[in-house]
Amino acid sequence: MGAVTPTVTKVQLVMTWTGLKGRSGYVKWYTYNDATKIRTSDDSTISTPALNWDSTDWKPTFIVPTPPVHWQLQVTAYAPDGTQLTTAHSAFTFAGS
């Protein structure tokens, strides 16, 4: 996606949920400094709609306040009961504001 303004970046998450047909999951994400690995934001949460199939691709788009450093996202997926399913990092480093 990319920068919307110098202080805001539009990001698209691309993931596949498996085994949760008819239920909803959620992700928590935060930004962190790519060089120091220190967080630059608090957790934000995005919930899925009810998942229609046993394997469902989900691609939400969301706005991220752009930190003033090169940064990445950490995203953690959770089942409806709060069980942590997986954690991933952005595929590349974003430029700072």
Side-chain angles (χ1 to χ4, degrees):
M1 302 247 81
V4 176
T5 71
T7 59
V8 176
T9 301
K10 186 185 255 185
V11 175
Q12 183 175 40
L13 176 63
V14 178
M15 64 183 298
T16 302
W17 294 86
T18 304
L20 294 176
K21 181 178 179 180
R23 298 166 64 198
S24 298
Y26 62 97
V27 297
K28 288 187 177 184
W29 63 267
Y30 66 84
T31 58
Y32 64 91
N33 181 315
D34 186 51
T36 66
K37 309 303 183 215
I38 296 172
R39 283 180 180 233
T40 57
S41 73
D42 293 327
D43 283 346
S44 292
T45 302
I46 304 171
S47 295
T48 71
L51 302 168
N52 293 324
W53 298 276
D54 185 51
S55 180
T56 304
D57 291 335
W58 186 54
K59 300 176 183 175
T61 300
F62 52 99
I63 299 297
V64 176
T66 305
V69 296
H70 288 336
W71 58 279
Q72 289 197 40
L73 287 171
Q74 178 173 306
V75 178
T76 302
Y78 296 89
D81 65 0
T83 301
Q84 182 176 326
L85 302 173
T86 189
T87 297
H89 301 266
S90 47
F92 58 90
T93 300
F94 296 87
S97 58

